[in-house]
Amino acid sequence: MSSFRLALCAGIVISFASAGHVLASGGGGGGGDMPSVSAPSYDPAAEYMKGVAALNAQQYKDAERALNHVVEAAPKNAEAWRLLGLANVGQNDLKGARKAYDRAVKLDPDNIQARQGLGVALGGLKDAKAAEQLDWLKARAATCGTCADAEALKAATSAVESAMGGVPTAALTRPMIFAGPERGDRVYLQAVGLINERRYDEALASLNRAREAFGPHPDILTYQGYAWRKKGDYARAETYYRQALAIAPAHKGATEYYGELKVERGDISGAKALLARLDHTCAYGCAEAEELRRWIDIGGDPSL
């Protein structure tokens, strides 16, 4: 595999805090079909950052509006659904919160904060299903012991128990300050370094923190796909590549790496279709197209 080209080129770092149209294109995007047919109506990464800023300011209606735009454009982004639940709780809309948190849990079953939010919303609605979330949190805490999630699990368990005991939901919701773009950039660059060192589990943890700051950014999704692919989980890797391309159809990095995944799976025709897409995007040629072409020619990684 050649060196990474998504957001690091000749040592220059492209900040995710830049304008929305840059975010939409991703590290290797640009070009492609007309926006009206090839891309969502809203740039989900830019709208996510608006939602985070509104939550930090406790402007919950504005946060709900922005986060609805995110889930419209990127419906499989668990973090956006979780934050939408928080925006609904801030407006005392527990039914809306239950729906959003339930979607977040289905997309990311191991997300402790999503489980907590769903349990609290269900408890506030006097729904007996709150016990399911409480049982999950307690079981996870029992196996966790003194792991890194111990405090989060303890707080989540207490919050759900309180909601089930009749404590008003508002009393269980405290203002939260979310990471800004500067911290997001730092953990993203940390993830890039960890990937280059083949420390994929640590890289994925850093990418998750970057995702909390930037939401469904195609560069982050592409790196998540790459890390899972290197861990051997091709199915999970594919979901991230597909999410990246749904947001930024002309993203060259995601297209190349998805093509490489197809080669590794023996789907040469699928890889050739992605190569054709790259050739269309790169009118005068590009490194991503040439790399994928080499993979197809030899039926695998040319560096091996």
Side-chain angles (χ1 to χ4, degrees):
M1 179 64 219
S2 58
S3 60
F4 291 93
R5 294 181 292 275
L6 297 181
L8 298 178
C9 182
I12 299 173
V13 177
I14 300 175
S15 172
F16 287 131
S18 54
H21 67 279
V22 176
L23 288 168
S25 67
D33 296 326
M34 294 299 291
S36 61
V37 297
S38 67
S41 301
Y42 296 95
D43 175 348
E47 291 297 309
Y48 183 95
M49 294 177 72
K50 288 181 185 178
V52 167
L55 284 173
N56 282 338
Q58 299 181 53
Q59 296 171 348
Y60 297 115
K61 187 65 178 177
D62 292 341
E64 180 189 15
R65 185 180 301 111
L67 291 164
N68 270 321
H69 292 162
V70 178
V71 298
E72 174 188 328
K76 293 186 178 181
N77 186 259
E79 196 65 21
W81 283 107
R82 184 181 74 81
L83 296 190
L84 180 57
L86 184 60
N88 288 326
V89 169
Q91 299 172 80
N92 202 33
D93 177 8
L94 294 185
K95 290 184 178 180
R98 176 183 61 190
K99 178 181 177 181
Y101 282 128
D102 183 64
R103 193 69 180 273
V105 168
K106 286 178 179 176
L107 289 167
D108 186 3
D110 292 328
N111 190 309
I112 295 168
Q113 292 175 308
R115 293 276 188 175
Q116 173 184 337
L118 179 57
V120 168
L122 291 168
L125 290 167
K126 307 301 181 186
D127 190 323
K129 290 183 179 180
E132 295 176 10
Q133 303 309 313
L134 182 60
D135 289 344
W136 185 92
L137 290 166
K138 286 182 175 180
R140 182 70 175 269
T143 60
C144 169
T146 58
C147 74
D149 292 328
E151 287 301 318
L153 287 164
K154 181 179 178 180
T157 299
S158 177
V160 175
E161 287 177 334
S162 296
M164 292 174 66
V167 175
T169 304
L172 302 173
T173 306
R174 57 183 178 82
M176 300 178 67
I177 302 300
F178 297 91
E182 294 79 10
R183 180 178 181 275
D185 280 339
R186 287 196 300 272
V187 294
Y188 172 79
L189 292 176
Q190 180 185 57
V192 172
L194 290 166
I195 285 177
N196 283 327
E197 295 173 9
R198 302 183 182 181
R199 296 160 61 184
Y200 301 119
D201 288 330
E202 295 169 80
L204 285 167
S206 291
L207 288 168
N208 283 337
R209 291 194 293 273
R211 189 185 62 196
E212 290 176 1
F214 298 117
H217 192 293
D219 285 356
I220 296 173
L221 291 166
T222 300
Y223 270 128
Q224 287 180 299
Y226 182 87
W228 281 111
R229 178 178 140 215
K230 288 301 180 181
K231 282 169 59 67
D233 192 337
Y234 289 170
R236 195 161 185 174
E238 183 175 18
T239 66
Y240 286 108
Y241 289 145
R242 291 175 67 88
Q243 287 180 63
L245 291 171
I247 295 166
H251 194 285
K252 292 184 286 187
T255 306
E256 176 200 337
Y257 297 149
Y258 191 14
E260 292 173 5
L261 172 60
K262 286 186 177 293
V263 172
E264 290 177 312
R265 281 181 153 178
D267 182 6
I268 301 300
S269 63
K272 287 181 176 178
L274 289 165
L275 177 59
R277 185 187 299 186
L278 276 174
D279 284 336
H280 176 74
T281 300
C282 307
Y284 301 101
C286 60
E288 291 83 359
E290 293 312 308
E291 180 72 5
L292 180 54
R293 202 181 318 276
R294 286 193 289 271
W295 275 70
I296 292 171
D297 287 344
I298 70 168
D301 188 345
S303 67
L304 297 179

